Amino acid sequence: METVGLYTNQSMMLTRVKAGNEEEIIRMLCAKAMDNGCINEEFITAILAREKEYPTGLPTEVPIAIPHIHDGCLKSFFSMAVLENPVAFRCMGDPDETVDVRLVFLFGITDPSYQTAVLKKFSTIFQDEEALNGLTSAEDASVLMEKMKGLLDEYLVTE
């Protein structure tokens, strides 16, 4: 299967983010995607609803969340945030538990048949503690962008 190109740019790479809860950080990332013409309002409504029903927090070595959906996605994209302080997300494996997330990877794809391939690619990153720690230490968007280009290579389409 060919790879899907996830559009991103430095404005979609957020570092030192302060957020009070999962909805706030998802909305911040969605605003960046909307500013770049990647999504419409339907995406925001759908991803927040999906997160309530199917939480995406993962208790990896560096806890992460990976909210994703295709509804309302105009252009496949990737955006992420490195949180200044952890934010509680409900756990994917057990929605009654929460995980204090340090990294949030938000993506949308126009063709849902690519979702499994994209998640599989991300899962290699999530199993790499050194890579995750490297992401949490990124001080600015340009450094974060370079690190993600190295990790996602052909999956990213950048400006």
Side-chain angles (χ1 to χ4, degrees):
M1 176 190 272
E2 68 181 77
T3 61
V4 61
L6 300 173
Y7 172 79
T8 196
N9 64 43
Q10 285 188 27
S11 75
M12 297 169 75
M13 301 281 117
L14 310 179
T15 59
R16 298 179 169 206
V17 176
K18 293 180 181 168
N21 58 47
E22 64 185 35
E23 182 174 338
E24 187 178 349
I25 188 60
I26 290 171
R27 284 186 180 279
M28 280 184 212
L29 289 168
C30 285
K32 296 298 183 182
M34 187 171 278
D35 289 349
N36 283 279
C38 299
I39 63 170
N40 60 27
E41 285 289 335
E42 177 190 4
F43 182 93
I44 299 169
T45 303
I47 201 158
L48 291 171
R50 185 183 190 284
E51 190 67 29
K52 283 182 173 61
E53 191 168 344
Y54 302 104
T56 62
L58 291 170
T60 50
E61 290 297 324
V62 175
I64 62 165
I66 184 161
H68 57 281
I69 201 161
H70 70 276
D71 301 352
C73 188
L74 306 173
K75 175 168 61 172
S76 296
F77 76 95
F78 168 71
S79 185
M80 76 171 289
V82 178
L83 300 170
E84 182 80 21
N85 298 303
V87 170
F89 272 71
R90 288 180 31 243
C91 192
M92 187 183 291
D94 183 355
D96 294 329
E97 298 291 322
T98 60
V99 58
D100 290 333
V101 167
R102 294 287 320 277
L103 298 168
V104 180
F105 299 85
L106 175 81
F107 74 89
I109 39 183
T110 55
D111 182 348
S113 68
Y114 286 108
Q115 181 173 303
T116 302
V118 172
L119 287 170
K120 187 174 180 180
K121 180 66 175 176
F122 276 112
S123 73
T124 62
I125 298 168
F126 304 156
Q127 295 171 28
D128 185 341
E129 183 178 0
E130 186 177 329
L132 292 175
N133 279 317
L135 295 172
T136 63
S137 67
E139 293 292 318
D140 62 47
S142 64
V143 171
L144 191 57
M145 179 81 138
E146 284 307 309
K147 288 178 183 285
M148 288 311 301
K149 277 200 261 185
L151 294 168
L152 291 175
D153 51 67
E154 77 276 6
Y155 280 76
L156 283 186
V157 174
T158 59
E159 289 184 337

